[in-house]
Amino acid sequence: MNVPSFTDLGKNARDVFRTGYHYGKSLIKLSIKTKSSDTLEVGSNLRLDCDTSKLTGTANAEYKMKEYGNLLQKWTTDGTVTLGYSRQQNIIPDLGLRSEISYNPATTARTVEIGAKCSKQSFNALCSISSDMDSNVNVLGSIVTAVKGLLIGYQGGYSSESNKMTVNDIGLAFNYRDVGFHFRCTSIPYEYGLSLLYKG
């Protein structure tokens, strides 16, 4: 069993009402993903709110070079451009590295982020450090481990600007026959959620 990252923990159960349903008539969603051989992937995820005529979303492209890593590019509808580079398990086995720089010409907001991912048979760990090029530094880390079919995960984040924890979440996921369970507690101990997925 491959251990997922914290953001993918219990994804099948959580996405039942997120991806296939929308209550109301004023929202249009468009998701596209295409692939050219094994080197280029292009995708977009757009949302149009007909009541406000507001379009939001992202478009991204990833160019994969087998021996040299992947080049990433992302655009958002607010004008932010992100360039990145990632390399998976080429330098050190089971370790992936990623770096990104984002810039918005309209607001002159800029961010630099570096991250690492370690994935083994029994756990999946992520850590990233980002800065807005001023004095603020954000640290985000997560770990998911498998214990006899039960996936247990924790995610924590810290901001140097507020000197406080910004993220403090736990999650549990378990599959039994045709039923998938996902329990989460975000901003411990304030918000709880439970998702169930039955495959008939």
Side-chain angles (χ1 to χ4, degrees):
M1 177 179 64
N2 290 330
V3 177
S5 65
F6 187 85
T7 54
D8 291 334
L9 188 63
K11 191 174 187 328
N12 289 343
R14 285 185 291 115
D15 284 353
V16 170
F17 287 100
R18 281 189 190 173
T19 57
Y21 298 88
H22 171 66
Y23 301 101
K25 301 178 182 178
S26 61
L27 184 66
I28 299 172
K29 296 181 183 180
L30 176 64
S31 295
I32 299 172
K33 191 171 186 180
T34 184
K35 192 175 186 181
S36 173
S37 65
D38 291 332
T39 56
L40 182 64
E41 285 187 13
V42 178
S44 68
N45 193 353
L46 301 172
R47 295 166 55 104
L48 175 63
D49 188 335
C50 297
D51 289 339
T52 60
S53 298
K54 186 176 181 181
L55 179 70
T56 58
T58 61
N60 57 73
E62 183 175 359
Y63 184 72
K64 299 181 179 181
M65 302 171 289
K66 288 184 179 178
E67 297 180 6
Y68 304 105
N70 303 337
L71 296 175
L72 315 167
Q73 206 168 19
K74 183 167 70 174
W75 306 269
T76 61
T77 51
D78 67 355
T80 302
V81 178
T82 302
L83 299 174
Y85 173 78
S86 68
R87 192 156 185 175
Q88 305 294 327
Q89 303 179 2
N90 294 97
I91 303 170
I92 301 172
D94 304 315
L95 183 68
L97 303 173
R98 179 178 53 84
S99 61
E100 289 183 357
I101 183 166
S102 301
Y103 178 68
N104 188 324
T107 62
T108 66
R110 53 200 185 276
T111 306
V112 174
E113 181 178 344
I114 58 172
K117 172 184 177 180
C118 183
S119 181
K120 291 283 216 178
Q121 185 69 25
S122 59
F123 75 91
N124 190 325
L126 296 168
C127 181
S128 68
I129 300 172
S130 62
S131 174
D132 58 9
M133 303 263 207
D134 291 327
S135 59
N136 187 30
V137 175
N138 293 302
V139 180
L140 180 66
S142 67
I143 186 166
V144 177
T145 186
V147 180
K148 294 184 179 180
L150 176 68
L151 296 171
I152 304 169
Y154 174 77
Q155 178 175 250
Y158 171 79
S159 171
S160 65
E161 186 176 43
S162 62
N163 196 25
K164 291 181 180 178
M165 291 283 289
T166 55
V167 178
N168 190 24
D169 309 331
I170 60 170
L172 302 171
F174 183 73
N175 291 321
Y176 179 72
R177 295 184 181 174
D178 296 331
V179 182
F181 301 89
H182 176 251
F183 171 78
R184 62 199 171 276
C185 178
T186 55
S187 302
I188 299 171
Y190 299 108
E191 184 178 331
Y192 299 89
L194 177 64
S195 301
L196 301 174
L197 172 66
Y198 175 74
K199 293 181 181 179

